[in-house]
Each structure stands twice: as structure tokens, then as C-alpha cells.
């Protein structure tokens, strides 16, 4: 496992002085339970710390980047930037799920791809970097892996809302989402959803929930509409 975690260090461009902190950040509660380790050894305490560091860094970023935006709008934007799907999206970029220490049951039920687990691990990793290398290193990690390509991320996470606004402004068609099929066992399902503008299909999305599949389909429709405009 040490080799795998060294690979993660290389991927994120940060080398730990205390390697145990990285191991701790990747240790899910299902693993500590299975190995009969103390509860505090899982990554939940680091996640708690990382969440606070992330909130401060993202708040400072928005405050400086948007000097004329109101507090209410800043709060709303920050919430969308650091929500579970957003952090899971960032975690996928560095394939964080593949480095997690999971219990056999969690592993068997698709835990490595579960957004709640990978987003928590992302926060735990921030907490570990903060403890190991201080605020500056944690801030650099957040800017590099979370506060990048925000326009595209916003487009992805708010895609249903953005599609609704685009369609209302440009055309009179109604938007509808149609479940095409479901695949896999109950604990690890994949949903396929088609988005229709009027009677015409504009995109198909796949997700672990119907909502995620709808967002993906809406995102495909937005890209298609942008190309035709």
C-alpha cells in the first residue's frame, strides 16, 4: 500500500514529512472497523479539519475574486463549489478513490466510486496536508485541485438550472427527462437518463442516481446548444 500512496504523493505534487498522516487520510471507517482499530484512526477527524481549511480558502478566493458580489451570493457560490458532488468531481480528477483503504464490504459495494466517500477523503487529504505542511501547502493544493476550471464545474453542477434558463431565453420547447434504463444490483446501480427539448433528444447522461444522470444529460444538452449558437 505504501507504494500506492507514494504514487498519490507524486500525483498531487506534495511529499509528506509524516507519511502516517496520508495513510490516515485514506483510511475509511469501514477499514478501521474491519481491522478492529480504534474509531479515531479513520479519516473522519482529518475530514473535520480539512472542511474548515477548505471553507476558509474558498471564502478568501471568492472574496478577492468577486469584490462587488453580495454576502448572500458569495455564500451560495461557495456552497456549490465545496458541496459533495463538486469535491467528488475533483477527487475523480486525481483518482482518489483508487487509493482508499476500505473494508471488504464497502469495497464490494462500489465504495471507491461513492461520492460521499471520495468527497470526505478529499477533505481528509486537505486536513492531512495542513497538519503536515501548514496552511500555505494546503492552500496551494486547494487552488490547484479544487478552485480550478470553476466555470466548467459550475456548468456541470448547475446544469439543469442553466439549461432551463437557456431554453427559456432561446426557445419555447419544454424540457423533460426520461429514464431510459437501470443497470446493476441495488447497492451499485447505474441510471441512464435522456433529456428532451420538446420531442427531440438533446443528450444522454449516466449516473449512480437519477439526479446525477439528469445533471449529466443536461450538461450534454448545454454543450450541444452552445455549439449550434
Amino acid at each position: 500500500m505504501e507504494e500506492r500512496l507514494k504514487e498519490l504523493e507524486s500525483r498531487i505534487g506534495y511529499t509528506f514529512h509524516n507519511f502516517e498522516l496520508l495513510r490516515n487520510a485514506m483510511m475509511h471507517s469501514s477499514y478501521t472497523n474491519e481491522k478492529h482499530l480504534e474509531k479515531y484512526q479513520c479519516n473522519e477527524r482529518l475530514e473535520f479539519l480539512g472542511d474548515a481549511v477548505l471553507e476558509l480558502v474558498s471564502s478568501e478566493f471568492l472574496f478577492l475574486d468577486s469584490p462587488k458580489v453580495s454576502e448572500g451570493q458569495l455564500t451560495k457560490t461557495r456552497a456549490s463549489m465545496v458541496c459533495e458532488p463538486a469535491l467528488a468531481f475533483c477527487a475523480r480528477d486525481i483518482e482518489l478513490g483508487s487509493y482508499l483503504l476500505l473494508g471488504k464490504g464497502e469495497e464490494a459495494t462500489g465504495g471507491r466510486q461513492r461520492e460521499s466517500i471520495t468527497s470526505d477523503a478529499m477533505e481528509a487529504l486537505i486536513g492531512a496536508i495542513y497538519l503536515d505542511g501548514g496552511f500555505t501547502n494546503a492552500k496551494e493544493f486547494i487552488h490547484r485541485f479544487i478552485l480550478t476550471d470553476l466555470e466548467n464545474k459550475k456548468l456541470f453542477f448547475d446544469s439543469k438550472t442553466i439549461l432551463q434558463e437557456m431554453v427559456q431565453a432561446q426557445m419555447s420547447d419544454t424540457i423533460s427527462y426520461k429514464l431510459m434504463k437501470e443497470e446493476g444490483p441495488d447497492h451499485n446501480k447505474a441510471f441512464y437518463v435522456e433529456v428532451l427539448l420538446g420531442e427531440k433528444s438533446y443528450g444522454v447522461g449516466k449516473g449512480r442516481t437519477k439526479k446525477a444522470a439528469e445533471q449529466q444529460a443536461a450538461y450534454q444538452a448545454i454543450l450541444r446548444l452552445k455549439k449550434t449558437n
Side-chain angles (χ1 to χ4, degrees):
M1 186 62 194
E2 189 165 328
E3 269 183 38
R4 293 282 294 142
L5 293 180
K6 291 282 184 193
E7 186 185 300
L8 177 57
E9 283 185 323
S10 174
R11 194 178 273 263
I12 65 174
Y14 180 79
T15 304
F16 279 80
H17 303 287
N18 179 0
F19 194 72
E20 197 56 33
L21 278 169
L22 176 57
R23 181 177 162 80
N24 202 205
M26 294 300 102
M27 197 178 291
H28 187 251
S29 57
S30 63
Y31 182 87
T32 55
N33 290 341
E34 193 175 280
K35 299 292 182 184
H36 306 293
L37 300 171
E38 295 289 348
K39 170 74 172 166
Y40 67 80
Q41 290 181 267
C42 77
N43 65 5
E44 289 171 4
R45 282 167 51 83
L46 282 173
E47 175 205 333
F48 162 80
L49 181 60
D51 175 60
V53 176
L54 175 59
E55 184 159 315
L56 175 57
V57 173
S58 56
S59 298
E60 180 197 52
F61 172 82
L62 288 172
F63 183 86
L64 297 174
D65 190 60
S66 312
K68 295 180 181 177
V69 174
S70 69
E71 178 269 343
Q73 188 56 47
L74 288 173
T75 301
K76 187 180 172 188
T77 304
R78 183 183 63 197
S80 71
M81 280 164 51
V82 299
C83 67
E84 183 181 293
L87 291 178
F89 188 86
C90 299
R92 279 197 294 277
D93 279 350
I94 56 173
E95 297 179 19
L96 196 60
S98 67
Y99 300 100
L100 291 171
L101 290 160
L102 296 177
K104 289 191 179 71
E106 197 61 65
E107 176 89 62
T109 56
R112 290 192 187 280
Q113 285 79 45
R114 191 161 291 128
E115 290 192 348
S116 58
I117 291 176
T118 57
S119 62
D120 287 351
M122 197 72 173
E123 289 182 330
L125 182 55
I126 292 165
I129 293 170
Y130 172 76
L131 284 180
D132 189 74
F135 183 73
T136 302
N137 281 302
K139 181 176 175 178
E140 190 177 306
F141 173 84
I142 291 165
H143 274 264
R144 184 177 170 193
F145 293 105
I146 297 172
L147 303 179
T148 53
D149 197 20
L150 284 177
E151 195 172 319
N152 193 46
K153 284 175 184 168
K154 185 178 187 316
L155 189 67
F156 185 79
F157 297 118
D158 297 341
S159 52
K160 285 181 75 174
T161 307
I162 292 167
L163 179 61
Q164 185 78 42
E165 289 168 356
M166 285 175 75
V167 170
Q168 282 174 347
Q170 297 172 19
M171 51 218 296
S172 58
D173 292 319
T174 55
I175 303 171
S176 57
Y177 294 90
K178 179 179 160 192
L179 179 64
M180 298 170 71
K181 63 176 178 176
E182 301 174 20
E183 283 181 350
D186 284 345
H187 63 259
N188 196 19
K189 270 200 184 305
F191 295 89
Y192 294 82
V193 169
E194 180 181 35
V195 61
L196 303 159
L197 303 190
E199 300 293 316
K200 191 174 177 184
S201 174
Y202 266 75
V204 174
K206 176 189 175 187
R208 289 173 61 85
T209 64
K210 287 178 193 172
K211 187 178 174 185
E214 286 174 359
Q215 289 283 19
Q216 179 68 254
Y219 181 65
Q220 298 303 325
I222 291 166
L223 296 181
R224 185 168 170 184
L225 285 172
K226 280 178 175 282
K227 271 186 186 174
T228 57
N229 288 347

